[in-house]
Amino acid sequence: MVSTSCRNNILKVFALSMFLVFSSLLVVASADFYQDFDITWGDGRGKILEGGQLLTLSLDKASGSGFQSKHEYLFGRIDMEIKLVAGNSAGTVTAYYLSSQGPTHDEIDFEFLGNLSGDPYTLHTNVFSQGKGNREQQFHLWFDPTKAFHTYSLVWNPRRIIFLVDNIPIRVFNNLESHGVSFPGNQPMRIYSSLWNADDWATRGGLVKTDWTKAPFTASYRNFKASACIWSPNSSSSSCSSKSTASVQDGNSWMNQELDAPGRNRIRWVQSNFMVYNYCTDFKRFPQGLPLECRRSRFL
């Protein structure tokens, strides 16, 4: 007699296998913001420039701004080059993330918390599944993210989520559903980004407020790339097609991507030298015991 949990696991594996067999990879490499994104709020503070090759978001005392992808995705690799707010960015947050909608939403976050001139940005990461987050890790970067564009990437496949900065892994969140840990795996998500005021918490816990004499604050985006499977709401399935078979052949490694030996060395370097908060070591926050995934996975 096959148990219910075993039967469910078999069905999940079968569904994933069928998904991979009948889906091909759509590679979006045009970096055309007109084609791939909509500016959704900000009353003109978000701008697409240079014939669709550059997007900027700005924040002043009246409002911030934001954009979202035209498509929803179910698994893929997302790359974006971002240059963050320069100078005194205290109180500001530049968010760049994948998210579904609703009270049980999934979400995979990069949030860049501004700081006083000369102090480092804090890169805040989080993973939500079925509406549950509280999986924060924070880092300082090993470069000034306001001087030039740097690439921030998310690899999301059925087995793991990998956060990368300039192709260096900084965090991995593994699929541990077999151990009772929920994982973002069945809700299609859009790409979102926004620049907004969060001076009640963003910088030193809200002690440092936004200096509006420095406004407008501006973040810039370019070279968006998505090797990803686009969700088709009409058929309620992932309907992937190829624009370039050469690109497909070169770009589909994300579906099974994991850390090789050099990747493991790099993530150890990042986490040893630049991690400033890890929920998996916060025993005061979890006096009844750390979350299950913290005890089951080496790199989170």
Side-chain angles (χ1 to χ4, degrees):
M1 178 72 69
V2 179
S3 68
T4 300
S5 61
C6 183
R7 187 184 303 112
N8 288 340
N9 286 334
I10 292 172
L11 289 173
K12 284 182 180 179
V13 171
F14 176 76
L16 175 59
S17 300
M18 298 304 290
F19 169 80
L20 295 176
V21 168
F22 290 108
S23 296
S24 58
L25 183 67
L26 173 63
V27 176
V28 180
S30 64
D32 185 338
F33 285 104
Y34 285 117
Q35 175 180 309
D36 299 320
F37 292 93
D38 293 314
I39 294 175
T40 50
W41 62 284
D43 291 331
R45 292 172 179 81
K47 294 181 172 64
I48 298 176
L49 306 168
E50 298 181 7
Q53 301 304 298
L54 179 71
L55 189 153
T56 62
L57 296 179
S58 66
L59 163 71
D60 57 35
K61 198 167 186 178
S63 178
S65 50
F67 64 86
Q68 70 179 43
S69 62
K70 295 181 184 292
H71 296 297
E72 293 177 291
Y73 303 93
L74 186 62
F75 303 127
R77 174 171 176 142
I78 308 297
D79 301 282
M80 184 79 80
E81 291 187 14
I82 306 174
K83 183 162 66 173
L84 296 175
V85 174
N88 182 357
S89 59
T92 71
V93 172
T94 305
Y96 161 57
Y97 58 104
L98 289 167
S99 184
S100 59
Q101 297 298 310
T104 58
H105 76 292
D106 293 343
E107 188 172 322
I108 307 169
D109 288 344
F110 279 117
E111 289 187 318
F112 303 91
L113 313 184
N115 218 330
L116 294 169
S117 298
D119 289 343
Y121 264 82
T122 297
L123 171 52
H124 177 99
T125 68
N126 205 349
V127 176
F128 287 75
S129 182
Q130 299 297 313
K132 178 184 180 298
N134 299 322
R135 296 171 173 136
E136 303 92 345
Q137 287 187 353
Q138 295 183 340
F139 305 84
H140 288 159
L141 297 167
W142 48 96
F143 53 83
D144 184 342
T146 73
K147 296 297 186 183
F149 285 90
H150 292 268
T151 303
Y152 303 91
S153 307
L154 292 170
V155 172
W156 172 37
N157 64 43
R159 296 171 181 84
R160 62 190 56 85
I161 297 162
I162 307 174
F163 297 74
L164 304 104
V165 176
D166 289 339
N167 213 36
I168 296 173
I170 65 169
R171 179 179 184 176
V172 176
F173 187 84
N174 288 309
N175 185 341
L176 295 172
E177 286 185 307
S178 60
H179 298 285
V181 179
S182 60
F183 181 84
N186 56 18
Q187 297 187 52
M189 296 195 276
R190 292 187 192 275
I191 304 164
Y192 296 88
S193 190
S194 58
L195 175 57
W196 51 290
N197 177 46
D199 66 3
D200 57 333
W201 65 272
T203 305
R204 299 183 187 175
L207 293 177
V208 181
K209 301 301 182 182
T210 303
D211 182 356
W212 294 112
T213 66
K214 307 298 184 183
F217 306 97
T218 302
S220 302
Y221 304 75
R222 72 180 188 188
N223 288 343
F224 164 70
K225 296 178 183 178
S227 301
C229 291
I230 291 178
W231 181 260
S232 175
N234 294 328
S235 61
S236 296
S237 64
S238 180
S239 177
C240 298
S241 61
S242 171
K243 287 186 177 178
S244 166
T245 54
S247 296
V248 170
Q249 186 175 1
D250 295 338
N252 63 359
S253 61
W254 59 264
M255 182 55 82
N256 296 299
Q257 187 169 338
E258 58 185 4
L259 296 187
D260 55 12
R264 291 191 293 273
N265 288 335
R266 291 188 189 103
I267 199 171
R268 288 189 188 101
W269 173 74
V270 171
Q271 295 191 353
S272 296
N273 293 284
F274 301 101
M275 180 182 282
V276 295
Y277 177 78
N278 182 3
Y279 78 110
C280 277
T281 60
D282 194 342
F283 293 95
K284 290 183 178 179
R285 182 179 176 187
F286 302 105
Q288 304 304 316
L290 294 174
L292 182 60
E293 66 267 19
C294 297
R295 292 169 270 155
R296 289 282 183 178
S297 187
R298 173 64 182 88
F299 294 112
L300 286 160

